Amino acid sequence: MQTPALRTGVVALCASVSLLLSACSSGDGPAAGEGASSPAGATSAPAASASPSVELPPAKGSVEVVKTLADGLASPWGLAALPGGDLLVSSRDEATIVRIDGESGRKTPLGSVPGVAPAGEGGLLGLAVAPTFGADHLIYAYFTTESDNRIVRLQYDEKKPAGQQLGAPDTILRGIPKGSVHNGGRIAFGPDRMLYAGTGETGDTGLAQDRSSPAGKILRMTPDGEPVHGNPEADSLVYSYGHRNVQGLAWDGRKQLWAAEFGQNTWDELNRIEPGRNYGWPDVEGKKGESGFVDPVAQWKTSEASPSGIAYVEGSVWMAGLGGERLWRIPLSGKADGEPLAAPQSFLEGKYGRLRTVLAAGGDMLWLVTSNTDGRGSPKSGDDRILLLKVR
């Protein structure tokens, strides 16, 4: 067990080494949470690089379904990668977490998460693996209870019998408003090793503009659930506001944060997230050009998208569509205003039904999770499934 003084010294040494390596590097690597390491002890928000340090993608892309890794999944929602390439997937309605072998697709149940109260769009939602997983074996989960939405961490012990491998949940954040709809639920560790969470306004539209409420926001916190020094407001977790229902979070090669969210009746959105900015809901939906609000970088008719998870692979943001039943590719130009390199392009339209979650799988590979057993889809034999895609 390290003493506090020793831990402090180690963190300082790691930070110094990280800064030295950063100064010697000519460009950014992939975002943390997608197979890359990050500076230890970082607390300020990750700064997007102004120079084109990553190769631009082609205007037109392609998608090849390489294989079905796993099928027969019940209401899958969150997806996270373990060191070594195996996957963790949450079941929204069964409140369970399952490990899936990244090569064979073999399933090993970790166990149930106590306190989850599935109903409507709520239940066991997003998952994230701690950047320090190799040392502490911590898994983070966002879920709905009888009274709120909250974020917990659980210790994973794979040496215990299957189904009994999860420790008791340690709540790091409680009191996120819940509803039958718009519970948000996506969580991810950023390049700064801080935890980000996308929340919904639960159908109470005023909460999105209420900066004292965690609903309708993107939150940024330490792994212990505390406000981060450098957040827009001291002692506040709020990183951006004016959101309706954030369901996708990802960082590009320049450490720029992107978020996908549901519109109401007109426009779904992909937003380039800047700290402290107002993304408009409920006053603005889609691109309006109104002062004081940030317009989305891309927008879709709600019938074409209903976006859920997003991932950054091969210079593009890849966005899973629920109602639109397709996978969207948004090639990034690297411009300061976030303008895409070319118009968004869709793939797999209607072929696999509702698409819930995507996750970078390394190189030009992408994991894709379907969502046909969530009560709103039309399940086919084998649903739901995890697909491995080769993308460009």
Side-chain angles (χ1 to χ4, degrees):
M1 176 72 70
Q2 293 179 344
T3 65
L6 178 57
R7 264 197 314 271
T8 302
V10 170
V11 170
L13 176 59
C14 290
S16 300
V17 172
S18 176
L19 288 171
L20 178 59
L21 291 175
S22 176
C24 297
S25 173
S26 60
D28 297 326
E34 297 182 355
S37 59
S38 308
T43 54
S44 60
S49 171
S51 61
S53 59
V54 294
E55 185 177 349
L56 295 180
K60 295 292 184 180
S62 62
V63 169
E64 174 190 350
V65 179
V66 176
K67 67 176 181 179
T68 297
L69 176 68
D71 58 15
L73 300 172
S75 61
W77 208 101
L79 187 71
L82 291 169
D86 286 358
L87 301 174
L88 299 178
V89 60
S90 64
S91 169
R92 186 194 70 182
D93 297 340
E94 296 187 349
T96 56
I97 300 175
V98 172
R99 178 172 180 160
I100 300 178
D101 187 286
E103 293 293 333
S104 69
R106 181 174 60 88
K107 302 171 189 173
T108 304
L110 274 62
S112 300
V113 178
V116 179
E121 294 177 0
L124 180 56
L125 304 175
L127 297 177
V129 172
T132 52
F133 181 84
D136 56 31
H137 301 284
L138 290 177
I139 299 167
Y140 287 70
Y142 182 118
F143 65 81
T144 312
T145 75
E146 293 287 355
S147 60
D148 64 359
N149 286 297
R150 62 184 61 177
I151 301 173
V152 304
R153 54 189 176 191
L154 310 100
Q155 193 163 55
Y156 169 35
D157 186 352
E158 61 183 295
K159 295 180 181 179
K160 290 186 176 181
Q164 303 174 34
Q165 298 177 344
L166 292 176
D170 172 25
T171 301
I172 67 164
L173 180 64
R174 67 180 75 238
I176 303 170
K178 62 166 284 189
S180 60
V181 295
H182 306 174
N183 288 288
R186 195 69 61 186
I187 56 175
F189 281 94
D192 54 359
R193 301 170 74 90
M194 298 296 109
L195 183 64
Y196 293 71
T199 70
E201 34 76 303
T202 73
D204 182 350
T205 58
L207 294 179
Q209 292 293 323
D210 180 357
R211 298 178 73 168
S212 67
S213 171
K217 310 294 190 297
I218 293 176
L219 309 177
R220 176 175 178 254
M221 67 199 79
T222 70
D224 295 324
E226 298 296 328
V228 184
H229 176 73
N231 274 3
E233 294 184 12
D235 300 322
S236 173
L237 302 178
V238 174
Y239 192 68
S240 63
Y241 66 107
H243 298 288
R244 184 170 182 262
N245 191 22
V246 176
Q247 296 252 308
L249 298 171
W251 289 261
D252 65 22
R254 296 175 176 84
K255 302 179 183 178
Q256 171 64 55
L257 175 60
W258 298 82
E261 67 177 285
F262 283 96
Q264 185 173 31
N265 298 316
T266 310
W267 298 114
D268 293 324
E269 301 179 357
L270 177 70
N271 285 296
R272 178 180 179 271
I273 301 301
E274 300 175 79
R277 300 298 297 276
N278 185 346
Y279 288 80
W281 182 255
D283 301 303
V284 173
E285 182 181 357
K287 297 181 179 181
K288 298 295 185 182
E290 293 191 14
S291 177
F293 302 122
V294 180
D295 276 353
V297 167
Q299 64 182 23
W300 294 263
K301 294 179 181 179
T302 54
S303 61
E304 297 176 338
S306 296
S308 189
I310 62 174
Y312 174 76
V313 178
E314 292 290 287
S316 296
V317 172
W318 298 84
M319 186 178 81
L322 290 163
E325 296 189 353
R326 67 197 79 176
L327 177 68
W328 285 98
R329 174 188 185 264
I330 305 93
L332 302 184
S333 67
K335 293 182 179 179
D337 61 2
E339 180 183 352
L341 180 72
Q345 185 181 5
S346 67
F347 299 92
L348 307 178
E349 183 176 346
K351 189 170 183 181
Y352 295 98
R354 293 161 58 82
L355 307 181
R356 171 68 68 180
T357 302
V358 285
L359 180 70
D364 58 357
M365 309 302 284
L366 179 72
W367 295 116
L368 172 65
V369 182
T370 67
S371 187
N372 297 309
T373 58
D374 65 348
R376 294 188 176 180
S378 300
K380 297 178 181 178
S381 177
D383 277 335
D384 272 307
R385 60 198 78 214
I386 298 177
L387 306 172
L388 179 63
L389 312 180
K390 181 180 177 67
V391 301
R392 176 177 181 271

